Amino acid sequence: MLKELVTPQNANVFVGKLGDILYKAIDKPLGMAIDWGRMWSLWPVHIETACCSVEFGAASGPRYDVERFGIIEAFGSLRQCDLVVVQGTITRKMAPRLRLVYDQMPDPKYVIAMGACAITGGLYFDSYNVLPGIDGILPVDVYVPGCPPRPETLIQGCMLLQEKIKRMKAR
Amino acid sequence: MSSTDSKSDTSKEKPAPPKPAAEKPAPPKPAAEKPAPPKPEETLPAFEKELTDRIVNQFSGDAEVGYVKENRTRINVKKEKILDVAKFIKDQTPFDHAESVSGVDFPEDNEIEVVYHLGSYTDNRYSKQVLALSTRAPREDVPNPGNDSTKLPSLRDVFYSVEFHERECFEMLGVHFEGHPDNRRLLLPEDWADLPPLRKDFKNKGR
Amino acid sequence: MTEQIPTDQTKELPPGLQLEKVDDRIMTLNVGPQHPGSGHMRIIVRIDGDYIVDADPDPGYVHRGEEKMAEVRNYLLNIPHLERPVIHDSCNILYPYVLGVEDLVGIEVPERAKYVRVIAAELNRCVYTQYWLAIYGIFLGHSTMFMWPAGDRELMIDLLEKMTGARVTHSYFIPGGVRNDIPANFEDVCLRQVNYFEKRIKEYADIFYDNPILKARTEDTGVLSSQDAIRLGTTGSVLRASGIDYDVRVKEPYDVYEELDVHTNVLKDGDSYARSKIPWLDMLESCNIIRQALEKMPKSGSVRTKLKPNPKGVGNDEVYRRVESGRGAAGMHIISNGKPEPYRVKISPGSFRNLIALPYLLKGEKLGNMPAVYWSLNYWPVEADR
Ligand code: SF4
């Protein structure tokens, strides 16, 4: 009977439902543990979009060392990542690519908008080729203001994100 | 891939080109051969004046001196003659590369100006000099880049280094360079359908 | 290889994903813009087996329209955004603009301000080069070479922060001098840190430049002969690594470089190794220049000529100024027409001029050598795109 119900066409629906049930069962007792795991191993995608990437690089350097807060240096492939740090200006040429990168990442995924440019367009508010902020293309979790933000500010933004993850329900 | 492999393979595939000929001995120290003339008013710097005169006399009627300042000179050329003048400069003077190509829009004159800034690496006396070679193309109010009268001959065959600069000028001002092998977009997004952005009638939003 | 592509008829590909009809052996590969080895640009390479037959750089992912923006802001308001193309070399990229405006308006700069500017520019060159070196280390899979320069450059950033108040975006140079004077005991601190910094970067030779693995990866890759370096109009470290002795600081000295003893580093080989070594040698030279400038600097005096409100404004004029930035000669062509805003500002940065060498050098190279060749061109995508 199960064979008739589950055809190759709808098999993934059932798998998904099963997953949901599993999540529900796990959420109560293990949600904390899952969140804790996500909090301390955020993998940022290696995507540089503008000059804020200099300060991002400085933040992973020895003096500021974001790694001690659980933000791993941006080295991995984007299929293993769960954090996009949008490092500055998004131009009209870059915007579709950024969305493409975001779409390819597995859930759950978080977005940090770094720098005035990523938040509102910043200095380039009236330029013809710059998006006025990335809210139109990505759901942003944390905004980190500054032009460029100091590494300390970025670290604080990352810690805010961790706080947010801690209070989220594990999905 | 081991790195030693890659090294030996490459050297097999692509033998290193012969070392630069000795015809360009790198001068050891910057020599102040050209004493900068003290700048009294009225008198033009002699070295620069002689340089521009040499070029302008060759093409009398088609080229004129824009300005002569210390270390900076400018020659305005009619667009039909720009290729000849550039060839003359390349062959007869030590200028060997273009540093920058700036396009400037002049809607009042209905013209677009393209300025090539030429410099010299080979001749020590000329290393301070920058020669601006400028020419003008007609401008159309409704541009159709590539298919209207805003065209200029490309200098890419004379000064190879203008290749990307001319591509940039094409997309930013709509000046089509005839003879350029690769008149494509460079910096703007692929779907740009507005006016070329550096034209004066293109306005930034909110300005 | 397969003769037909079976999906060609059955399935419509979305636009932008057309299968190109190319020779069976040739494969097209997109490197970037999301790629650890490309930065904010895309390189479309065609490879035959392991060898690159054609490379087509596709910059413009950070094109922000600086030149258009410069036309709607007045001369002083242009300063903050014109330094954004290279925020970690902001003094040097702003330098030609400031010099050009000074030429246009005709103001004199106090002697002390000239020295302060030279010190700031040289410190900034170190900051830039260290960042570049750190990324070069990453590109070659040499993680220690990321950590060392990224740590050491903070020393120079500290000094610049003391001078200007900002970590990277200084907006320190203004027409007529610099924005504010340097703090009281700056000279001693600067001298001490520069000496320590020099000692540190000399150690890079052991770990990086004398490293046999690095040499194997970079020597004889991407060789640029001196004729080609001239023909392609390259500049900065690319040019000097090919044996041409040209440095704007020496050949056309601006501010007080004339009074300082600046040595031009030239190497003959023209390969990636030489290109990666020149910026490092330049950093050592920068330490020398800073020490000289600290010594010769007038100990007191004004650092800024106040701009008089000039009823005449900036006349009908144009000026082309250039300086030696971290990536080579950076030129600015400023045209004024008597309005408060410039009529046209054209930036001709070193990165954009060196980009033309990339397709030329990659041809015939192995794909694995691409990062080594690409980043050795001293290329900063944001600057090239403006
Ligand atoms: S916020 Fe400032 S530093 Fe960051 S990308 Fe924008 S202009 Fe550059």
Side-chain angles (χ1 to χ4, degrees):
Chain A
M1 188 212 142
L2 200 64
K3 264 223 174 110
E4 291 153 23
L5 212 60
V6 184
T7 56
Q9 279 79 29
N10 66 1
N12 46 9
V13 176
F14 278 88
V15 173
K17 283 265 187 292
L18 204 67
D20 284 355
I21 294 168
L22 256 176
Y23 263 134
K24 284 228 176 76
I26 283 174
D27 193 11
K28 271 276 156 53
L30 294 179
M32 289 278 282
I34 293 174
D35 277 345
W36 180 80
R38 279 179 191 158
M39 252 169 73
W40 302 112
S41 65
L42 288 168
W43 291 76
V45 187
H46 195 288
I47 179 165
E48 302 142 338
T49 53
C51 35
C52 273
S53 60
V54 174
E55 287 302 73
F56 186 80
S60 12
R63 183 180 283 188
Y64 294 100
D65 194 13
V66 279
E67 212 164 324
R68 66 203 153 123
F69 298 104
I71 317 286
I72 288 135
E73 265 179 52
F75 286 155
S77 127
L78 60 89
R79 292 285 190 194
Q80 305 163 355
C81 295
D82 54 3
L83 173 63
V84 193
V85 182
V86 181
Q87 299 158 11
T89 328
I90 298 297
T91 58
R92 289 189 31 200
K93 198 169 176 179
M94 193 64 178
R97 273 86 175 184
L98 179 66
R99 181 69 211 191
L100 209 61
V101 166
Y102 182 77
D103 286 345
Q104 288 180 63
M105 286 161 54
D107 270 342
K109 44 197 172 189
Y110 313 101
V111 180
I112 293 180
M114 179 183 180
C117 286
I119 300 173
T120 60
L123 212 57
Y124 299 92
F125 68 97
D126 64 343
S127 166
Y128 53 85
N129 204 21
V130 173
L131 295 194
I134 58 162
D135 307 274
I137 49 171
L138 295 184
V140 183
D141 288 295
V142 177
Y143 296 95
V144 181
C147 182
R150 291 178 66 97
E152 293 98 323
T153 327
L154 180 66
I155 291 173
Q156 197 208 1
C158 293
M159 290 166 84
L160 280 176
L161 179 67
Q162 288 169 339
E163 194 79 358
K164 190 173 174 179
I165 297 172
K166 198 163 144 194
R167 297 184 184 176
M168 262 182 191
K169 274 183 127 183
R171 239 180 337 112
Chain B
M1 177 183 67
S2 103
S3 11
T4 33
D5 268 0
S6 86
K7 186 190 169 190
S8 57
D9 273 22
T10 323
S11 47
K12 244 182 275 160
E13 271 308 305
K14 187 184 156 191
K19 286 281 172 275
E23 61 185 26
K24 288 182 214 80
K29 264 278 146 187
E33 276 137 296
K34 193 189 75 60
K39 234 172 104 187
E41 308 302 313
E42 254 83 279
T43 46
L44 297 173
F47 184 82
E48 287 84 350
K49 181 142 187 355
E50 188 250 304
L51 168 71
T52 47
D53 284 351
R54 188 139 65 93
I55 299 165
V56 170
N57 290 341
Q58 183 80 15
F59 298 93
S60 51
D62 293 319
E64 59 180 31
V65 180
Y67 57 69
V68 179
K69 299 179 201 165
E70 201 184 337
N71 298 336
R72 298 284 186 273
T73 44
R74 174 178 172 135
I75 291 173
N76 304 329
V77 188
K78 288 213 183 99
K79 81 174 211 207
E80 294 81 23
K81 277 283 184 274
I82 179 80
L83 211 54
D84 296 339
V85 177
K87 277 195 186 117
F88 176 79
I89 291 174
K90 173 93 191 243
D91 296 340
Q92 307 291 325
T93 64
F95 292 107
D96 46 22
H97 70 282
E99 292 196 352
S100 117
V101 178
S102 28
V104 193
D105 188 15
F106 289 103
E108 297 91 56
D109 307 348
N110 227 350
E111 276 174 329
I112 291 179
E113 187 178 69
V114 176
V115 189
Y116 298 86
H117 286 102
L118 310 177
S120 167
Y121 285 146
T122 35
D123 195 327
N124 218 10
R125 284 179 312 140
Y126 281 77
S127 57
K128 271 186 180 185
Q129 305 289 333
V130 174
L131 173 71
L133 183 67
S134 95
T135 183
R136 288 188 169 213
R139 175 187 193 276
E140 292 197 7
D141 285 338
V142 186
N144 182 7
N147 296 325
D148 55 13
S149 62
T150 315
K151 284 186 179 159
L152 282 179
S154 167
L155 294 197
R156 181 192 175 263
D157 294 336
V158 187
F159 296 106
Y160 191 84
S161 51
V162 300
E163 177 170 347
F164 281 13
H165 294 279
E166 281 188 349
R167 268 175 78 180
E168 190 208 340
C169 194
F170 170 59
E171 65 173 356
M172 292 294 168
L173 288 133
V175 185
H176 185 267
F177 289 95
E178 288 170 304
H180 194 288
D182 200 12
N183 260 317
R184 273 181 304 144
R185 282 267 159 74
L186 188 66
L187 299 178
L188 287 179
E190 299 86 343
D191 56 352
W192 183 266
D194 212 333
L195 292 173
L198 281 182
R199 296 235 176 165
K200 289 288 171 193
D201 39 9
F202 179 91
K203 291 271 185 284
N204 270 346
K205 59 190 174 211
R207 289 275 170 180
Chain C
M1 290 270 109
T2 47
E3 287 297 293
Q4 316 99 355
I5 303 156
T7 53
D8 217 353
Q9 284 83 36
T10 52
K11 197 173 165 201
E12 283 265 308
L13 285 168
L17 268 187
Q18 269 85 24
L19 289 176
E20 279 185 63
K21 291 210 171 45
V22 284
D23 197 325
D24 272 349
R25 291 170 57 82
I26 312 279
M27 191 165 92
T28 309
L29 203 64
N30 268 315
V31 183
Q34 192 275 320
H35 186 273
S38 77
H40 346 248
M41 77 164 326
R42 179 166 70 145
I43 310 167
I44 305 163
V45 285
R46 289 163 175 265
I47 48 177
D48 176 3
D50 220 1
Y51 291 92
I52 298 174
V53 290
D54 191 13
D56 181 16
D58 175 22
Y61 289 91
V62 212
H63 173 63
R64 302 187 281 201
E66 310 254 357
E67 291 173 5
K68 187 74 187 176
M69 283 168 61
E71 291 172 10
V72 293
R73 283 158 169 73
N74 70 26
Y75 283 94
L76 277 180
L77 284 185
N78 268 330
I79 288 178
H81 80 89
L82 280 182
E83 71 175 12
R84 287 306 190 272
V86 210
I87 54 169
H88 45 325
D89 198 8
S90 50
C91 288
N92 276 319
I93 192 70
L94 198 60
Y95 220 147
Y97 177 76
V98 172
L99 290 175
V101 174
E102 276 161 9
D103 275 7
L104 285 176
V105 189
I107 22 173
E108 271 301 308
V109 183
E111 189 69 9
R112 183 169 156 89
K114 289 183 180 172
Y115 279 100
V116 173
R117 275 191 195 177
V118 166
I119 293 170
E122 292 302 325
L123 286 174
N124 231 315
R125 189 188 315 277
C126 294
V127 171
Y128 167 77
T129 312
Q130 290 284 66
Y131 183 79
W132 171 86
L133 206 52
I135 304 291
Y136 200 49
I138 291 272
F139 271 25
L140 299 175
H142 195 319
S143 289
T144 316
M145 206 50 204
F146 172 74
M147 289 299 171
W148 283 26
D152 292 339
R153 80 186 260 271
E154 301 286 341
L155 290 175
M156 298 281 121
I157 290 183
D158 281 350
L159 284 176
L160 279 166
E161 206 175 335
K162 281 203 181 72
M163 281 172 109
T164 70
R167 252 179 74 88
V168 278
T169 44
H170 312 300
S171 304
Y172 190 47
F173 297 1
I174 52 169
V178 293
R179 202 156 35 78
N180 53 281
D181 204 347
I182 52 178
N185 60 348
F186 179 78
E187 279 96 333
D188 306 336
V189 183
C190 184
L191 198 62
R192 219 173 47 233
Q193 294 218 18
V194 166
N195 285 343
Y196 174 72
F197 180 78
E198 190 180 18
K199 206 175 96 222
R200 274 292 297 172
I201 55 178
K202 273 185 183 152
E203 287 174 27
Y204 294 178
D206 300 340
I207 187 177
F208 197 62
Y209 289 108
D210 294 343
N211 188 334
I213 298 178
L214 175 99
K215 282 194 173 179
R217 286 199 62 177
T218 51
E219 271 182 354
D220 287 331
T221 60
V223 180
L224 187 68
S225 67
S226 57
Q227 287 100 324
D228 283 332
I230 294 172
R231 192 173 62 95
L232 297 172
T234 56
T235 172
S237 57
V238 181
L239 185 73
R240 274 176 272 143
S242 293
I244 311 286
D245 178 10
Y246 195 91
D247 187 329
V248 184
R249 285 176 293 174
V250 175
K251 300 285 180 182
E252 193 193 343
Y254 45 94
D255 276 0
V256 285
Y257 278 111
E258 220 161 355
E259 283 140 52
L260 306 174
D261 178 22
V262 185
H263 172 71
T264 316
N265 299 302
V266 181
L267 292 179
K268 289 273 177 289
D269 308 335
D271 55 1
S272 301
Y273 181 72
R275 281 198 294 275
S276 68
K277 201 165 184 178
I278 289 273
W280 176 68
L281 294 173
D282 275 0
M283 255 194 304
L284 292 171
E285 187 57 36
S286 286
C287 295
N288 256 332
I289 297 172
I290 294 169
R291 270 195 297 266
Q292 290 177 38
L294 281 174
E295 203 175 284
K296 291 193 180 166
M297 182 166 70
K299 291 291 168 277
S300 61
S302 135
V303 289
R304 177 180 176 184
T305 312
K306 278 255 159 48
L307 274 172
K308 287 189 269 339
N310 190 349
K312 212 155 80 285
V314 183
N316 265 324
D317 206 352
E318 68 174 307
V319 58
Y320 180 81
R321 283 306 291 257
R322 47 189 187 160
V323 303
E324 184 78 17
S325 72
R327 296 147 308 286
M332 288 233 190
H333 182 204
I334 309 170
I335 303 179
S336 70
N337 67 341
K339 297 244 173 62
E341 301 94 18
Y343 189 72
R344 172 91 164 88
V345 176
K346 161 80 186 174
I347 317 164
S348 175
S351 306
F352 191 66
R353 289 173 60 188
N354 284 342
L355 181 60
I356 190 174
L358 181 67
Y360 179 80
L361 290 181
L362 282 184
K363 242 170 247 176
E365 208 59 59
K366 271 192 166 183
L367 185 63
N369 287 336
M370 199 186 81
V373 174
Y374 163 60
W375 204 247
S376 76
L377 283 179
N378 218 337
Y379 181 73
W380 179 241
V382 190
E383 188 195 29
D385 295 353
R386 283 155 287 154

